[in-house]
Amino acid sequence: LAHHVVVQVASGQLVLGPVRVAGYVLLSAFFGSVERVASEATPPPGVSLTVERTDKFWRLALPVGASRDHPLANPFGSDSPSLEPLPLPPAFVVAPGRDVSAATCCAMQRS
């Protein structure tokens, strides 16, 4: 949610008035994509959030028929608008060490 609000503010779709966003925090950022990252293809033992469970969450959260490349799931996907021109403030990302969605978020950010 924080990411999507910041994108709306940066693109001018949401005006906050005299308030400005100086930065934001992503706690357990939950992104995905159709392409599986290594931690999803071969999850480490004892993960707290499994691939099967994240797939179920995406089916419940996304519009009917949407894939994990929907802009709500994958801000870097082909269906998402470019973030390149937006003046995004700094983000602090806190990722749990033992779930596959955290690795997905970090892998997507590096690509």
Side-chain angles (χ1 to χ4, degrees), residues 60-73:
L60 293 169
L62 295 173
V64 173
S67 75
R68 288 184 316 275
D69 278 338
H70 186 280
L72 291 175

Side-chain angles (χ1 to χ4, degrees), residues 38-62:
S39 68
E40 291 174 306
T42 311
V47 293
S48 60
L49 185 58
T50 65
V51 172
E52 294 78 16
R53 199 171 285 162
T54 60
D55 285 348
K56 183 176 183 176
F57 290 160
W58 286 125
R59 282 192 304 275
L60 293 169
L62 295 173

Side-chain angles (χ1 to χ4, degrees), residues 8-106:
Q8 287 182 342
V9 169
S11 67
Q13 295 174 20
L14 179 63
V15 179
L16 298 178
V19 176
R20 72 177 184 86
V21 177
Y24 63 113
V25 177
L26 296 174
L27 298 173
S28 298
F30 194 76
F31 297 111
S33 81
V34 169
E35 182 180 339
R36 299 285 189 194
V37 296
S39 68
E40 291 174 306
T42 311
V47 293
S48 60
L49 185 58
T50 65
V51 172
E52 294 78 16
R53 199 171 285 162
T54 60
D55 285 348
K56 183 176 183 176
F57 290 160
W58 286 125
R59 282 192 304 275
L60 293 169
L62 295 173
V64 173
S67 75
R68 288 184 316 275
D69 278 338
H70 186 280
L72 291 175
N74 185 356
F76 306 109
S78 59
D79 296 337
S80 298
S82 174
L83 300 177
E84 189 77 30
L86 297 180
L88 296 173
F92 180 70
V93 180
V94 179
R98 302 202 54 87
D99 85 36
V100 294
S101 68
T104 302
C105 172
C106 295

